[in-house]
Amino acid sequence: MKALGRIAVPVLTAAILLTAGASTARSQVDLPILDSIEVVGNQRIESSRVVLQAGIPIGQSIGFRDLQRAITRLYALGEFDDISISQATIGDREVLRIELVERPIVSGWSVEGVERLSMRSVRGRVTLSSGSAYDAAAANHSKARIDSLYRNEGYYQSGVNVVRQPQNDGTVRILFEVDEGSRVAISEIIIEGNDHFSDSEISGTLATGVEGFLWFKKGEYDDDKLEIDLRERLPAFYASHGFVDFQAIADTLIINESTGKGTLIVWVSEGEQYHVGTFEVVGNRQYSVDQIERYYPFRTQATGFLGLGGTQSGQPVYDQAKWQEATSEVAALYRNTGYLRAQVLPMTTRRRTEDGTNLVDLRWQIFEGTPSVVNRINIVGNNVTHEDVIRRAILMVPGDVYREEALIQSYQRISNLNFFNQPLPMPQMTPATEQGDLVDVTFEVEERNTGNFNFGASVGQGTGLGGFLGVEQPNLFGRGKTISFQWQFGTNVSDFNISYTDPAIRGSLVSGSFSLHNTRLRFTVGDLGRIRTRGGRMQIGFPLFGSNFTRVFLNYTLEQSDFDDESAISTVFTCNNCILSSLGFSVLRDTRIDLPFATGGAMHRFDIAQAGGPVGGSGNFRRATFEGRWYAPLARLGGSDPTANPLKFVLGFTAKTGFVWGDPGPHFRQLFSMGGTQFGIPLRGYDEFSITPQGFDAAARGFQANNVDSFGQSYFAMTGEIGLRFSQAFYFSTFLDAGNVWSTPARFNPTHLFRGSGLGLNVLSPLGPIGIDYAYAFDRLDLDGNHAPGWKFHFRLGNIF
């Protein structure tokens, strides 16, 4: 047998190329004419398909180009890992043997080790297909794509390992094992091209920071965050200092692969600094130049102590952010007086003076147009709540000149009704005429269930273990009327209360409320014993001078009380069916928003009442109280759109005080007690009734008041808090409380207060309101009078919230 043996294609090709180089006139070296082709090593792919794909002619002379084309065609199938061709002479037959190594079928693939990025984004980088032949090049391409994804997110120490897992059926499963590593930590930020500000000053304006000693200063590299830094934050910083031509030219991150630390280098072009030149207002007719100039942010300011001693010298540095903000304020001024189509164009002209100073001349070009008048106010979506209830909350009527401030306040007041799903869609304004002088305003609401029925257990310091049952409907018959029934029962308290409130009697501006109660209290450990009170209260309210936020109230209270004859209190007061008759006057102004957990606005309330004496009943005294609550938003997470429902940080402050003059007689509970969270004036960190006119009472525990001397005729309390409002039903805060009570108004001394601080959580649950406070009392004493500060847990569940 004469044979060429198993000759690999590259070797055979090289030999033929040498022959071709010696005789360039021949384009093909003839080999023996083939009698047949033999295919070996194939299991899935039929031999006939291989021969057909190879395209090698039988019975004709072939050359190296035929073999090259055959190899290329077979690899194009994507089914083989290796292909070799050899030629043999068997007897008088010339046979060409094609040996194949088939690729296994991919039965499936998976990704493991992904935690820091989304699994969906990582899987999207894989290009393998189940059911097709395994392609190592495609697997490596997928690996590179995953690596690229992690590097773009700052994980420069990540790695991907491709694992082939043979299966019993001959297929293979591919596993991409991801080692995420840690994000590259920026150890240094270098700024190139900065002449006016240091690297640290510029770095301080960036959200991208360097790694620090504290745990929260990780310095992790984030490509998206850096892009915002270079596109927005850094130009805004320079523009606020007059460098309006600033540009961030380029940036690069140099990584130390062994440590995972990075050095961020940013190249900048600062440009030249500009000062403010001339200023003018043109196109204004509705407002005078003097009125508009009040919003001009670069007015010459007085210097020296309390503004005395001269004026600001030189030309102020141009601040682009201030100029844009002032422009927005002037535009809001026009919108708030009905000029919806008014345009305030901020014009800037740059010039250089003879002494080389760069100036920006400023102009407000105003196109006022005509004022818009409210044509119609539409309300849609209210299937239960009557339209007049909603319209009472709207501070505009058809025929009014459109005011944006009134629109926003109306939106907030409708939200405060708590009859609709939150957040409400923003009101829509549509022109009623082509000229835009008439606009239709549409408020859209979506009803929610407002009535609730709750029952269950209640636990609290002093009240012991008990139960509660309550029914409340704040939107009775869709008329905004409130009816409430509450019954709480327990070891030390039994309280039955029913009330009815009508915010608009017969559709008028007059409000009214009526309540009845039957209460039994048992004071433990101390000597006040058991007290039972039955009575009611009526109140009628009117808007003060037509105000939408301020109301005055007249109220009358009538109660009958009985003291336990066996208690020590009966030796001080004789009270068998004693009567409390009180006539009162109140003023309330409330501009809070986002109730029940306010994030803005204020509430002020003043109450004064005469009990006994000329209005009958026991005793003869006057009682006055004042309460103020102020709220200011600090920050919000989740978007600035008013219809969003973001997390809101709020700063709150509350101050309360009260005084009683005269003889309260047996009505000592009309005086003031302090401590705890459930009875009297709250002071967290201390027990109920533990703050007395004589100082801190270490013997007070739970629902205890040792005697009537625990109550005072004047008090002062205040609370400062930083809160986080998650929603209308969830509020977390950190607080500082301070307060005290005094025996008479003459002893009132707000410089001597007991202090407490801690954390609080308020939740409006289907079972009723829940309050949890954990507070530290700074001024608590032990029974021996020694300083003994400490923590106290307060829990409230039920209608005593």
Side-chain angles (χ1 to χ4, degrees):
M1 178 180 67
K2 179 182 178 182
L4 294 176
R6 183 180 176 82
I7 302 176
V9 172
V11 177
L12 179 59
T13 302
I16 296 174
L17 286 175
L18 290 174
T19 304
S23 179
T24 58
R26 298 178 58 188
S27 61
Q28 178 170 312
V29 177
D30 294 334
L31 296 176
I33 297 175
L34 299 177
D35 294 302
S36 63
I37 297 175
E38 181 184 11
V39 180
V40 297
N42 57 315
Q43 297 179 357
R44 295 184 294 102
I45 310 301
E46 296 179 356
S47 298
S48 59
R49 182 184 176 191
V50 175
V51 173
L52 181 62
Q53 181 72 14
I56 299 175
I58 302 297
Q60 298 180 19
S61 178
I62 64 171
F64 78 96
R65 296 189 187 280
D66 298 306
L67 300 180
Q68 283 182 325
R69 284 192 291 267
I71 294 288
T72 301
R73 290 169 181 162
L74 290 176
Y75 271 121
L77 290 175
E79 300 287 350
F80 308 112
D81 275 333
D82 186 40
I83 303 172
S84 62
I85 298 178
S86 60
Q87 185 180 348
T89 302
I90 303 176
D92 58 352
R93 297 173 59 248
E94 297 294 336
V95 179
L96 187 69
R97 177 177 295 168
I98 301 176
E99 297 186 40
L100 306 171
V101 178
E102 290 183 335
R103 293 175 175 175
I105 294 296
V106 177
S107 60
W109 57 269
S110 59
V111 180
E112 293 183 356
V114 178
E115 295 181 359
R116 302 175 189 270
L117 303 185
S118 71
M119 178 63 77
R120 181 178 181 180
S121 64
V122 176
R123 289 178 61 88
R125 295 295 176 121
V126 178
T127 57
L128 293 182
S129 298
S130 299
S132 62
Y134 173 69
D135 187 350
N140 288 331
H141 180 63
S142 301
K143 171 184 175 181
R145 285 166 56 86
I146 295 175
D147 275 330
S148 176
L149 175 64
Y150 272 91
R151 286 181 174 270
N152 288 339
E153 294 295 331
Y155 295 92
Y156 285 85
Q157 291 185 303
S158 65
V160 182
N161 186 30
V162 181
V163 180
R164 295 177 56 171
Q165 299 174 330
Q167 307 296 303
N168 294 332
D169 58 359
T171 61
V172 64
R173 184 172 182 82
I174 307 304
L175 172 64
F176 293 91
E177 291 182 331
V178 179
D179 180 9
E180 295 183 320
S182 59
R183 251 182 182 166
V184 62
I186 300 176
S187 60
E188 184 180 14
I189 297 179
I190 299 175
I191 311 296
E192 298 287 353
N194 53 315
D195 298 324
H196 296 83
F197 301 98
S198 65
D199 288 9
S200 60
E201 287 178 307
I202 297 175
S203 300
T205 66
L206 306 179
T208 302
V210 298
E211 185 180 30
F213 173 75
L214 299 176
W215 78 93
F216 58 84
K217 298 188 66 175
K218 298 179 180 179
E220 291 184 338
Y221 174 79
D222 188 322
D223 192 62
D224 293 336
K225 186 186 295 183
L226 178 62
E227 182 181 357
I228 296 175
D229 283 338
L230 301 183
R231 190 178 67 248
E232 298 179 9
R233 294 189 180 95
L234 201 51
F237 168 74
Y238 268 92
S240 66
H241 293 83
F243 295 91
V244 293
D245 296 325
F246 169 85
Q247 288 183 328
I249 300 174
D251 67 277
T252 187
L253 184 65
I254 302 175
I255 306 298
N256 187 325
E257 297 286 352
S258 60
T259 62
K261 307 296 183 182
T263 299
L264 177 63
I265 304 177
V266 179
W267 285 269
V268 301
S269 173
E270 293 183 326
E272 297 183 342
Q273 189 179 44
Y274 285 82
H275 291 74
V276 176
T278 62
F279 168 68
E280 63 176 340
V281 180
V282 296
N284 56 305
R285 298 188 305 273
Q286 173 67 16
Y287 295 101
S288 67
V289 173
D290 290 340
Q291 289 176 306
I292 295 177
E293 279 186 344
R294 296 173 185 173
Y295 296 91
Y296 179 60
F298 306 113
R299 288 179 293 172
T300 302
Q301 298 178 355
T303 59
F305 180 70
L306 296 179
L308 303 177
T311 59
Q312 186 182 47
S313 61
Q315 294 164 309
V317 173
Y318 173 65
D319 187 331
Q320 185 170 278
K322 283 185 178 180
W323 176 241
Q324 293 174 345
E325 181 180 355
T327 301
S328 299
E329 291 176 353
V330 175
L333 171 68
Y334 274 94
R335 288 195 304 271
N336 201 40
T337 51
Y339 290 84
L340 293 181
R341 295 194 174 188
Q343 297 182 29
V344 181
L345 303 181
M347 314 294 290
T348 59
T349 304
R350 304 181 192 181
R351 61 184 173 91
R352 182 188 292 268
T353 62
E354 294 181 356
D355 62 358
T357 303
N358 297 303
L359 298 179
V360 179
D361 294 333
L362 305 176
R363 173 195 293 178
W364 274 328
Q365 180 72 52
I366 300 176
F367 300 94
E368 294 181 341
T370 57
S372 298
V373 175
V374 177
N375 179 52
R376 296 180 59 186
I377 299 178
N378 303 313
I379 301 172
V380 297
N382 54 316
N383 301 318
V384 176
T385 306
H386 285 245
E387 193 168 291
D388 63 308
V389 176
I390 303 175
R391 290 191 180 276
R392 285 199 298 267
I394 298 176
L395 303 181
M396 54 175 60
V397 296
D400 282 351
V401 173
Y402 171 83
R403 293 185 301 116
E404 188 171 88
E405 181 182 359
L407 181 72
I408 295 175
Q409 291 179 345
S410 300
Y411 172 83
Q412 294 170 344
R413 283 165 60 90
I414 294 174
S415 297
N416 285 348
L417 291 175
N418 289 323
F419 298 160
F420 313 107
N421 289 329
Q422 303 291 332
L424 295 177
M426 282 299 294
Q428 300 296 317
M429 292 179 298
T430 55
T433 62
E434 294 183 358
Q435 294 77 19
D437 55 345
L438 293 177
V439 293
D440 294 335
V441 181
T442 301
F443 293 90
E444 184 179 354
V445 298
E446 182 180 352
E447 300 275 6
R448 69 177 180 88
N449 294 328
T450 56
N452 64 82
F453 175 79
N454 54 74
F455 61 93
S458 63
V459 180
Q461 293 94 4
T463 60
L465 179 64
F468 64 92
L469 176 66
V471 179
E472 183 179 24
Q473 174 52 267
N475 191 17
L476 186 64
F477 307 127
R479 294 289 187 180
K481 308 176 192 298
T482 301
I483 187 169
S484 173
F485 165 80
Q486 294 178 339
W487 180 31
Q488 182 180 354
F489 46 90
T491 306
N492 302 319
V493 61
S494 177
D495 185 18
F496 174 87
N497 187 293
I498 185 170
S499 64
Y500 172 78
T501 300
D502 189 341
I505 299 176
R506 293 191 175 184
S508 69
L509 297 178
V510 180
S511 63
S513 64
F514 176 77
S515 65
L516 295 172
H517 67 272
N518 188 336
T519 304
R520 175 184 57 81
L521 300 177
R522 184 170 71 91
F523 294 86
T524 62
V525 183
D527 58 2
L528 292 181
R530 183 180 289 109
I531 300 175
R532 181 179 180 181
T533 302
R534 300 175 296 275
R537 175 185 172 93
M538 292 187 300
Q539 178 172 275
I540 189 169
F542 310 86
L544 181 61
F545 304 123
S547 171
N548 291 295
F549 301 98
T550 307
R551 297 183 72 83
V552 296
F553 300 92
L554 296 175
N555 59 76
Y556 178 72
T557 302
L558 182 64
E559 290 182 350
Q560 180 188 51
S561 299
D562 292 317
F563 293 168
D564 188 349
D565 292 338
E566 299 179 358
S567 64
I569 189 64
S570 63
T571 63
V572 180
F573 298 110
T574 300
C575 184
N576 293 319
N577 297 327
C578 56
I579 300 298
L580 171 66
S581 177
S582 173
L583 181 63
F585 170 81
S586 304
V587 180
L588 171 66
R589 179 171 176 81
D590 195 348
T591 61
R592 293 174 295 174
I593 61 174
D594 284 337
L595 296 176
F597 305 121
T599 60
M603 187 277 287
H604 305 91
R605 184 181 184 99
F606 173 74
D607 297 90
I608 187 168
Q610 167 67 48
V615 295
S618 306
N620 185 2
F621 64 96
R622 278 117 350 248
R623 189 177 193 268
T625 60
F626 171 80
E627 179 178 2
R629 297 176 181 266
W630 300 269
Y631 300 92
L634 294 178
R636 56 190 293 153
L637 301 176
S640 57
D641 188 340
T643 63
N645 192 22
L647 302 179
K648 296 183 180 181
F649 292 89
V650 59
L651 176 66
F653 181 75
T654 301
K656 298 184 291 185
T657 188
F659 302 91
V660 171
W661 298 274
D663 177 19
H667 306 296
F668 68 93
R669 289 185 299 116
Q670 292 295 312
L671 305 179
F672 307 109
S673 63
M674 182 174 291
T677 60
Q678 299 182 78
F679 300 94
I681 313 301
L683 186 61
R684 289 166 286 191
Y686 298 86
D687 285 287
E688 309 288 335
F689 302 106
S690 61
I691 308 301
T692 74
Q694 292 75 39
F696 177 74
D697 183 1
R701 290 292 185 270
F703 192 48
Q704 173 189 344
N706 284 335
N707 50 56
V708 293
D709 292 334
S710 297
F711 297 80
Q713 290 187 341
S714 62
Y715 86 94
F716 178 77
M718 61 181 179
T719 296
E721 66 178 358
I722 296 178
L724 174 58
R725 182 187 186 273
F726 291 90
S727 67
Q728 280 190 312
F730 197 90
Y731 181 78
F732 173 81
S733 66
T734 176
F735 59 83
L736 175 64
D737 288 349
N740 202 355
V741 295
W742 295 272
S743 57
T744 64
R747 295 181 179 272
F748 182 81
N749 181 13
T751 63
H752 180 209
L753 304 176
F754 292 89
R755 302 160 299 162
S757 180
L759 305 174
L761 177 65
N762 293 330
V763 179
L764 299 182
S765 72
L767 293 179
I770 298 175
I772 301 174
D773 297 292
Y774 191 54
Y776 184 83
F778 295 96
D779 304 304
R780 202 162 60 191
L781 305 175
D782 61 18
L783 292 174
D784 296 325
N786 299 317
H787 192 58
W791 292 91
K792 185 169 183 60
F793 178 79
H794 302 278
F795 177 75
R796 296 159 289 163
L797 172 62
N799 60 0
I800 56 176
F801 178 69

